[in-house]
């Protein structure tokens, strides 16, 4: 981490602003996902209830929401630890409150 920060000190100003912005965004995204992952439970219950009925949606949504909570929280931890390396989010949508009707998916993190 020290090497990455040392190299960042010698980058041109235009690139440094972009780098520090991406690192800050990734750290913020990771911190948010670490603590708001539990929002996947009501999101999945609501989504599953719309597709089926409240009984099946409640049970299936609780199970899927719990799994997505674990995935989003793990993604948040990963983003915080690897924040000096700017990448896209592992989780789509990047935040639980974005596009609440979209199912959570896990994809690639490369730029």
């Amino acid at each position: 981490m020290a090497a990455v920060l040392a190299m960042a000190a010698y980058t041109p100003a235009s690139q440094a602003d972009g780098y520090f912005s991406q690192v800050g965004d990734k750290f913020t995204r990771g911190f948010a996902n670490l603590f708001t992952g539990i929002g996947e439970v009501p999101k999945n219950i609501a989504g599953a209830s719309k597709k089926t009925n409240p009984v099946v949606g409640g049970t299936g949504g609780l199970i899927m929401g719990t799994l997505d909570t674990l995935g989003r929280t793990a993604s948040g931890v990963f983003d915080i630890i690897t924040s000096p390396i700017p990448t896209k989010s592992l989780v789509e949508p990047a935040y639980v409150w974005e596009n609440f009707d979209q199912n959570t998916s896990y994809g690639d993190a490369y730029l």
Side-chain angles (χ1 to χ4, degrees):
M1 184 186 292
V4 170
L5 293 175
M7 288 188 309
Y10 293 105
T11 59
S14 62
Q15 290 180 354
D17 288 340
Y19 172 78
F20 288 117
S21 174
Q22 289 176 345
V23 167
D25 289 346
K26 185 174 181 181
F27 183 81
T28 303
R29 181 179 64 234
F31 191 78
N33 283 333
L34 179 64
F35 291 105
T36 63
I38 193 70
E40 288 288 347
V41 174
K43 175 182 173 180
N44 277 282
I45 290 173
S49 295
K50 285 181 187 175
K51 291 178 184 172
T52 59
N53 62 52
V55 175
V56 174
T59 306
L62 179 64
I63 293 168
M64 285 305 299
T66 301
L67 293 174
D68 282 341
T69 295
L70 295 173
R72 187 170 290 278
T73 302
S75 171
V77 170
F78 180 79
D79 281 349
I80 290 171
I81 292 171
T82 62
S83 61
I85 305 165
T87 58
K88 291 191 299 184
S89 178
L90 292 173
V91 179
E92 201 52 47
Y95 299 98
V96 71
W97 59 82
E98 287 182 345
N99 202 355
F100 206 73
D101 292 332
Q102 179 184 351
N103 288 336
T104 302
S105 64
Y106 305 91
D108 61 356
Y110 300 106
L111 295 172

